[in-house]
Amino acid sequence: MDVHEDETLGEGYKLKLNSYDLGVDIELADAIQRIRFEHPEVRAVVVTSLKPRIFCAGANIYMLGTSSHAFKVNFCKFTNETRCAMEDDSQHSGRRYLAALNGTASGGGYELAIACDEIYLVDDGNSAVSLPEVPLLGVLPGTGGLTRLVDKRKVRRDRADVFSTLAEGLKGKRAKDWGLIDDTFPTSKFQESIDERVAQIVNAGNEDEKHGIKLHPLTVGTSPAPTDTRDYEYVSLKFHREKRYVDLTMRGPEADLPASPDEIQKLGDAFWPLQAYRELDDALLHLRVNEPEIGLVCIRTQGSVENVLALDRTLAANRDHWLVREIILLMARTLRRLDLTAKSFFAIVEPGSCFAGNLLELLVASDRSYMLNNPDEPVAIAFSGLNAGAFPMSNGLTRLQSRFLSDPQRVDEVLARTDSLDTEAAEQTGLITFAPDDLDWEDEIRVAIEERTSLSPDALTGMEASLRFAGPETMDTKIYGRLTAWQNWIFQRPNAVGPNGALTNYGKPTQAKFDFRRT
Amino acid sequence: MDVHEDETLGEGYKLKLNSYDLGVDIELADAIQRIRFEHPEVRAVVVTSLKPRIFCAGANIYMLGTSSHAFKVNFCKFTNETRCAMEDDSQHSGRRYLAALNGTASGGGYELAIACDEIYLVDDGNSAVSLPEVPLLGVLPGTGGLTRLVDKRKVRRDRADVFSTLAEGLKGKRAKDWGLIDDTFPTSKFQESIDERVAQIVNAGNEDEKHGIKLHPLTVGTSPAPTDTRDYEYVSLKFHREKRYVDLTMRGPEADLPASPDEIQKLGDAFWPLQAYRELDDALLHLRVNEPEIGLVCIRTQGSVENVLALDRTLAANRDHWLVREIILLMARTLRRLDLTAKSFFAIVEPGSCFAGNLLELLVASDRSYMLNNPDEPVAIAFSGLNAGAFPMSNGLTRLQSRFLSDPQRVDEVLARTDSLDTEAAEQTGLITFAPDDLDWEDEIRVAIEERTSLSPDALTGMEASLRFAGPETMDTKIYGRLTAWQNWIFQRPNAVGPNGALTNYGKPTQAKFDFRRT
């Protein structure tokens, strides 16, 4: 039994400022994904630093002080999705994350620590945990820091208030008493104590031996304008820049996919759901970070409804196999990434499409759906067992539950439909926003796109974030809905980024000057 | 049996732009308060317009285009507190609110309507309901509009998306089919249909006759600098402007308060809890709107712990009496107003103070508490039965439940304490952040105040909003936490308020020009 020591964190934050290089956060997201697929035998992940005395000192301050507003907000969101992926791994795949803080964990470093299951801090008289964003930078610990403090670790709010305004943070015993860490060990016993805890976790398990698969890099081809596309094997983006929208087409699976875990394992990362959703994930991130002016994504699918349903039956039948479980969890995370993307989504349901089962989630995740109503060119959608709970949203509901909040029993009614639904039947279920006939179809879509992309992008971001997550709130929706909004505000304010702002002046001889009016 | 037709809405929005005059929203808040205390016999409130064909056309657009950022955000918060007070009245006092839309209800007008229990729209071929903020103004229906749409009325999110981007809104049958209104009646039958519905509600009741009390205007005296105070009978504000903080002192009740409902009713609005909390409410609103530079409120109390506990016993024993119920509900709303105020609160527990029962909520609501630890000058706090649920926060928890989220059984343990707790005992319960001794007391408070008021006011607002509401989320916390944050952002953005912004250009011949990069 191996324990994976994640050495990509060893050098601390090494953030480069290219548009798509989030530095250690990209590496961390990648490392976690690789652990899950390539090292399923790993039971404990120790998040630590190869450079003692600095765990993660939040060197992203430089990034925050110099990068664009959009980059900062995107960075916070992506970083948080990585934190949530660690928690998802812990909750659903039973892997245990240990933050072994062999030095000060400050800002983003401590935020990474509180995404772990357990936090251990070296007691060297010097090392501390801290969230110095408010006192030093005039911004928020916005990658979930504040929410995880009071909601996950349930730190008393008056103590959370003191801690979050104390630049130097807290050490040793007091940090433990306040619940900020789980334990603290002297320098001489630190490594040994962590090793002991890891051994406990590793020895507690008694599972079958598992062998990972290899995740290869995705291949993607691009064509310049006027074609202007980005093509993966199963996902294509076609840009319409002058109109500020993109067509995202996802191609469904073939008919002859493997049906047993052994065959799936042999096929590895070429297995359709794994490859197609990794590609979708990459496409969404590409759109977020590199295509800020694209305001609308028109989602289309191509393929056979029956093939999608057959695949979903295979996945459902083998959910208990570790690889199938990981694949379903990855599909779910990708769909949540879509829910959380600050762009409008319209699902376009045309002849030849296959919005069924897992791909139907794309339609239900969209802000609107348009389905052609033409008896001469029938179109169909269909449900599979996976729509019943395999892909929860951040609020813990399925997308169907969220859709039918006013009429919960309709969820069971539609899930009982094993047939394909034509346009009329689909409309009756409540999944279709508009079903124009073939005479109106092109005009209606064109006008809808034009109208959407003419609206204020800020108002749309706020509106969609407010409408997409009806129903219960969870720690995750708090983090994304509440903290993203606060970050969006605070990162814009002169008190942070103006010539006299705290972020602007950090590390300079000059001091921040605030406009003290509160709102 | 009377039906109160609220004529203050008759003239539509008539907003003046003095710093403390929120126009119709102040009148509406006042009218609802008066209905509850002065007209307890009223069972149904019809919210309608005396000017047919315009219900509330959102003339606050002018206000939003010309007033300061702080005013806009404060306005949205206050307006929402009024909406929540209507819902509180409906839920806890059984009064039914009917929106009788005898004309188009647009923007704020429809937001007011969805705060009502039932919405009826005239079907005159013209009148519609609409939320045109996104398409016309580049901002959000931010006084709870979007959240109430999907969470309270549970409108399907794709339809909510269409509705919220459609400037002209929806009329008649479609508005009803989509759940935006409850019914629609032709012009000729509108009044009659509303009257019928009101008669149903009124006749369904069968309660004892109730007689209201009179709510007199509060009297308040102010002294200019250097004294610089604002004094009510039981509440005083003492400003320290150069240090950007204020002392808010609340004086506890006398010993000889009435103990029976009849005596309470006779005393009317001079009864301590009603008067003191109305004064506190007014003081909080004054601080929010007129004192933006004051960042910190030091809360102090003066009086007898035993008197507060005696009063709480009276209130608890008579909770079923309408007036006592209304008083407790008003106290709860005022405490929620404190939770939602964008200023820091420190509770200062000194000799002579009376943080007990209902006044202990002030301490638990504060971001921190300081309690003197000096055996020669004993100080005490105490719990009463009212701390167990009479004053819920917006998230539905008591402040004690929220404080002890990590250790829920401690709530019962502390509520079982019927004695007064000295500093040591109080610290052990987990309610006291710091308990300096008399040598350190003054310095520690002074330094804490100086540190707090030196921090970025924006970061503090975001931090406090994130730390104060740990635990479950509700529609109310969504509205305040999420929408306030989005509003804070969107109201700052050039796309709304810049020279080419939509708010700036509304009603002018020039058109908004957006920066279309989305975040």
Side-chain angles (χ1 to χ4, degrees):
Chain A
M1 183 69 58
D2 257 344
V3 174
H4 185 89
E5 296 239 2
D6 181 3
E7 302 196 355
T8 61
L9 287 176
E11 299 172 47
Y13 276 116
K14 48 169 189 177
L15 236 133
K16 300 166 219 147
L17 290 177
N18 303 331
S19 65
Y20 194 37
D21 188 349
L22 299 174
V24 76
D25 280 279
I26 290 277
E27 290 183 20
L28 180 61
D30 185 61
I32 292 163
Q33 196 95 297
R34 280 191 296 104
I35 293 169
R36 299 181 75 160
F37 283 96
E38 301 184 354
H39 301 283
E41 74 283 3
V42 166
R43 295 247 176 85
V45 179
V46 178
V47 182
T48 190
S49 167
L50 290 181
K51 273 194 189 160
R53 302 188 64 83
I54 304 174
F55 173 68
C56 282
N60 54 349
I61 290 166
Y62 177 70
M63 181 279 285
L64 290 180
T66 57
S67 59
S68 71
H69 174 72
F71 184 85
K72 280 180 269 198
V73 177
N74 264 316
F75 165 83
C76 288
K77 192 185 282 180
F78 177 80
T79 300
N80 234 320
E81 287 170 324
T82 306
R83 312 266 188 273
C84 288
M86 292 165 64
E87 291 167 332
D88 173 81
D89 192 20
S90 170
Q91 188 187 347
H92 297 293
S93 300
R95 208 159 281 115
R96 195 93 184 149
Y97 283 77
L98 280 67
L101 311 180
N102 49 359
T104 285
S106 169
Y110 182 62
E111 291 195 275
L112 174 57
I114 49 177
C116 295
D117 299 296
E118 304 171 19
I119 308 177
Y120 302 105
L121 174 65
V122 65
D123 183 6
D124 58 4
N126 194 29
S127 292
V129 294
S130 66
L131 291 176
E133 281 84 348
V134 173
L136 287 187
L137 307 176
V139 295
L140 281 192
T143 47
L146 294 174
T147 296
R148 285 197 176 84
L149 205 57
V150 290
D151 270 88
K152 181 180 181 180
R153 293 197 68 90
K154 298 186 169 58
V155 172
R156 255 171 53 190
R157 57 167 274 221
D158 58 332
R159 289 175 165 174
D161 180 282
V162 173
F163 175 62
S164 308
T165 52
L166 208 59
E168 67 272 26
L170 291 177
K171 294 182 257 189
K173 185 172 177 312
R174 200 173 204 190
K176 184 180 171 186
D177 288 346
W178 285 24
L180 302 167
I181 61 174
D182 292 289
D183 215 341
T184 174
F185 309 114
T187 312
S188 61
K189 301 227 170 124
F190 190 71
Q191 192 54 50
E192 177 190 332
S193 306
I194 299 293
D195 292 346
E196 255 174 51
R197 177 65 191 124
V198 167
Q200 279 176 356
I201 295 165
V202 168
N203 295 331
N206 187 22
E207 291 179 43
D208 297 339
E209 214 172 329
K210 295 175 218 161
H211 297 287
I213 62 165
K214 175 80 186 148
L215 288 188
H216 299 88
L218 300 172
T219 50
V220 53
T222 55
S223 309
T227 315
D228 211 353
T229 57
R230 180 178 172 90
D231 290 298
Y232 307 81
E233 183 161 351
Y234 297 116
V235 174
S236 290
L237 297 175
K238 160 79 182 156
F239 291 93
H240 307 270
R241 285 179 203 284
E242 72 293 350
K243 294 180 174 168
R244 290 191 293 275
Y245 81 95
V246 67
D247 285 311
L248 186 159
T249 303
M250 209 158 161
R251 285 174 288 279
E254 301 297 312
D256 53 352
L257 294 195
S260 78
D262 280 355
E263 292 171 292
I264 291 170
Q265 177 120 13
K266 231 173 266 165
L267 193 54
D269 67 351
F271 185 40
W272 180 86
L274 182 49
Q275 177 156 355
Y277 277 79
R278 283 180 73 206
E279 292 175 352
L280 176 61
D281 204 40
D282 195 72
L284 290 171
L285 287 172
H286 176 80
L287 290 174
R288 278 190 192 173
V289 180
N290 295 325
E291 299 289 352
E293 299 232 3
I294 297 292
L296 169 65
V297 183
C298 291
I299 300 194
R300 299 159 195 272
T301 53
Q302 281 175 4
S304 144
V305 165
E306 192 35 59
N307 287 356
V308 184
L309 296 178
L311 168 75
D312 279 11
R313 284 192 294 272
T314 297
L315 294 176
N318 296 289
R319 288 184 80 145
D320 293 336
H321 186 265
W322 77 268
L323 178 55
V324 175
R325 183 189 64 225
E326 289 298 345
I327 289 171
I328 292 174
L329 289 168
L330 176 136
M331 295 163 84
R333 288 197 299 282
T334 303
L335 289 164
R336 286 198 289 274
R337 181 104 75 194
L338 192 158
D339 294 332
L340 291 166
T341 295
K343 298 189 187 293
S344 304
F345 289 87
F346 287 179
I348 312 286
V349 193
E350 292 171 306
S353 69
C354 55
F355 285 101
N358 70 78
L359 291 179
L360 184 65
E361 295 287 321
L362 299 174
L363 183 151
V364 197
S366 293
D367 298 299
R368 303 180 183 185
S369 58
Y370 291 82
M371 188 167 181
L372 178 67
N373 187 6
N374 178 6
D376 299 336
E377 290 188 286
V379 204
I381 66 169
F383 301 93
S384 83
L386 295 189
N387 300 120
F391 311 121
M393 297 174 63
S394 301
N395 62 10
L397 297 186
T398 66
R399 284 179 192 78
L400 288 178
Q401 286 171 329
S402 181
R403 169 69 56 125
F404 300 130
L405 212 54
S406 66
D407 186 7
Q409 75 185 47
R410 201 190 299 189
V411 176
D412 297 328
E413 284 166 25
V414 303
L415 284 170
R417 301 285 300 249
T418 54
D419 52 333
S420 284
L421 280 64
D422 64 14
T423 303
E424 201 179 325
E427 241 196 317
Q428 278 166 5
T429 62
L431 288 176
I432 303 303
T433 317
F434 295 112
D437 62 28
D438 53 328
L439 286 179
D440 294 333
W441 176 253
E442 281 193 17
D443 263 2
E444 191 153 336
I445 303 277
R446 183 183 53 74
V447 169
I449 290 172
E450 279 172 12
E451 279 181 357
R452 188 62 160 212
T453 57
S454 74
L455 298 177
S456 159
D458 309 332
L460 284 178
T461 293
M463 183 190 88
E464 290 157 4
S466 301
L467 295 181
R468 286 178 184 172
F469 303 96
E473 293 262 18
T474 63
M475 191 180 75
D476 289 8
T477 56
K478 271 189 185 182
I479 288 171
Y480 293 111
R482 174 170 288 193
L483 279 189
T484 305
W486 284 117
Q487 289 291 56
N488 247 329
W489 179 51
I490 293 167
F491 278 147
Q492 286 283 127
R493 292 277 283 178
N495 283 339
V497 296
N500 297 317
L503 262 183
T504 315
N505 282 274
Y506 184 75
K508 296 186 188 166
T510 46
Q511 269 228 309
K513 287 196 198 93
F514 294 130
D515 171 350
F516 279 104
R517 287 172 296 176
R518 286 190 63 165
T519 302
Chain B
M1 183 69 60
D2 258 344
V3 176
H4 185 89
E5 296 239 4
D6 182 1
E7 301 195 357
T8 61
L9 286 175
E11 299 170 47
Y13 276 116
K14 47 169 191 176
L15 235 131
K16 299 166 219 146
L17 290 176
N18 304 329
S19 65
Y20 194 36
D21 188 349
L22 299 173
V24 75
D25 280 279
I26 291 276
E27 290 182 20
L28 179 61
D30 185 61
I32 293 164
Q33 196 94 297
R34 282 191 293 105
I35 292 170
R36 298 181 75 160
F37 284 95
E38 301 185 353
H39 300 284
E41 74 284 3
V42 166
R43 295 248 175 85
V45 179
V46 178
V47 181
T48 191
S49 168
L50 291 181
K51 273 195 191 160
R53 302 188 64 85
I54 303 173
F55 173 68
C56 282
N60 54 348
I61 291 166
Y62 177 71
M63 182 280 286
L64 290 179
T66 57
S67 59
S68 72
H69 174 72
F71 183 84
K72 280 180 270 198
V73 177
N74 265 315
F75 165 83
C76 288
K77 194 185 281 180
F78 176 80
T79 300
N80 234 320
E81 288 171 322
T82 306
R83 313 268 189 270
C84 288
M86 293 164 63
E87 291 167 333
D88 174 79
D89 191 20
S90 169
Q91 188 186 346
H92 297 293
S93 300
R95 207 160 282 114
R96 196 96 184 148
Y97 284 76
L98 280 68
L101 311 181
N102 48 359
T104 285
S106 169
Y110 182 62
E111 290 195 276
L112 174 56
I114 50 178
C116 294
D117 298 296
E118 305 171 18
I119 308 176
Y120 302 105
L121 174 64
V122 65
D123 183 7
D124 58 5
N126 194 29
S127 292
V129 295
S130 67
L131 290 177
E133 280 84 348
V134 173
L136 287 187
L137 307 175
V139 295
L140 281 192
T143 47
L146 295 174
T147 297
R148 286 198 175 83
L149 205 58
V150 289
D151 270 88
K152 181 180 180 181
R153 294 197 66 90
K154 298 185 168 59
V155 173
R156 256 170 53 189
R157 58 167 273 220
D158 58 333
R159 289 176 165 174
D161 180 281
V162 174
F163 175 62
S164 308
T165 52
L166 208 59
E168 67 272 27
L170 291 178
K171 294 181 257 187
K173 185 172 176 312
R174 200 172 206 191
K176 184 180 173 186
D177 287 347
W178 285 25
L180 302 167
I181 61 173
D182 292 290
D183 215 341
T184 175
F185 309 115
T187 312
S188 60
K189 301 227 169 126
F190 190 70
Q191 193 54 50
E192 176 191 334
S193 306
I194 299 294
D195 291 347
E196 254 175 51
R197 177 66 191 125
V198 167
Q200 279 175 357
I201 295 165
V202 169
N203 295 330
N206 186 23
E207 290 179 45
D208 297 339
E209 215 171 327
K210 296 175 216 158
H211 297 286
I213 62 164
K214 176 79 187 147
L215 288 187
H216 298 88
L218 301 172
T219 51
V220 53
T222 56
S223 309
T227 314
D228 213 353
T229 57
R230 180 178 173 90
D231 290 297
Y232 307 80
E233 181 161 350
Y234 297 116
V235 174
S236 289
L237 298 174
K238 161 78 182 157
F239 292 93
H240 307 270
R241 286 180 203 283
E242 71 293 350
K243 294 179 174 168
R244 290 192 291 275
Y245 81 95
V246 66
D247 285 311
L248 186 160
T249 303
M250 208 158 162
R251 286 175 286 281
E254 300 298 312
D256 52 352
L257 294 194
S260 78
D262 280 356
E263 292 170 293
I264 291 170
Q265 178 119 14
K266 231 172 267 166
L267 195 51
D269 67 351
F271 185 42
W272 181 87
L274 182 49
Q275 177 156 356
Y277 277 80
R278 281 180 74 205
E279 292 174 353
L280 175 61
D281 203 41
D282 195 72
L284 290 170
L285 288 172
H286 177 81
L287 290 173
R288 278 189 192 175
V289 180
N290 295 324
E291 299 289 351
E293 299 232 4
I294 297 292
L296 170 63
V297 183
C298 292
I299 300 195
R300 298 159 196 273
T301 52
Q302 279 175 4
S304 145
V305 165
E306 192 34 60
N307 288 355
V308 183
L309 296 179
L311 168 74
D312 279 13
R313 284 191 294 271
T314 298
L315 294 175
N318 297 288
R319 288 183 82 146
D320 293 337
H321 185 264
W322 78 267
L323 177 55
V324 174
R325 182 188 67 224
E326 289 299 343
I327 290 171
I328 293 174
L329 289 168
L330 177 137
M331 296 164 82
R333 289 195 301 279
T334 303
L335 290 163
R336 287 197 289 273
R337 182 104 76 194
L338 193 158
D339 295 332
L340 292 167
T341 295
K343 298 190 187 294
S344 304
F345 289 88
F346 287 179
I348 313 287
V349 192
E350 292 172 306
S353 68
C354 56
F355 285 100
N358 70 78
L359 291 179
L360 184 64
E361 295 288 321
L362 298 174
L363 183 151
V364 197
S366 293
D367 297 300
R368 302 179 183 186
S369 58
Y370 290 82
M371 188 167 181
L372 177 67
N373 186 6
N374 178 7
D376 297 336
E377 291 187 286
V379 203
I381 64 168
F383 301 92
S384 82
L386 295 189
N387 300 120
F391 311 120
M393 297 174 62
S394 301
N395 61 10
L397 298 186
T398 67
R399 286 180 190 77
L400 288 177
Q401 287 171 329
S402 180
R403 169 69 55 125
F404 300 131
L405 212 55
S406 67
D407 186 6
Q409 75 185 50
R410 203 190 297 190
V411 176
D412 296 328
E413 284 166 23
V414 302
L415 284 172
R417 300 286 299 250
T418 53
D419 51 334
S420 283
L421 281 64
D422 65 13
T423 303
E424 201 178 323
E427 242 195 315
Q428 279 167 5
T429 61
L431 288 176
I432 304 303
T433 318
F434 295 112
D437 62 27
D438 52 327
L439 285 178
D440 294 334
W441 177 254
E442 281 194 15
D443 264 3
E444 192 153 334
I445 304 278
R446 184 182 52 75
V447 168
I449 290 172
E450 279 171 11
E451 281 180 357
R452 188 62 158 211
T453 57
S454 74
L455 298 177
S456 159
D458 309 333
L460 284 178
T461 292
M463 183 189 88
E464 290 158 3
S466 300
L467 296 180
R468 287 180 184 171
F469 303 95
E473 293 262 19
T474 63
M475 191 179 75
D476 288 9
T477 56
K478 271 189 185 182
I479 288 171
Y480 292 112
R482 173 170 287 192
L483 278 189
T484 304
W486 285 116
Q487 289 291 56
N488 248 329
W489 180 51
I490 293 167
F491 278 147
Q492 287 281 128
R493 292 277 283 180
N495 283 339
V497 296
N500 297 318
L503 261 184
T504 315
N505 282 274
Y506 183 75
K508 296 186 188 165
T510 46
Q511 269 229 309
K513 287 196 198 95
F514 294 129
D515 171 350
F516 279 104
R517 288 173 296 177
R518 287 191 62 164
T519 302

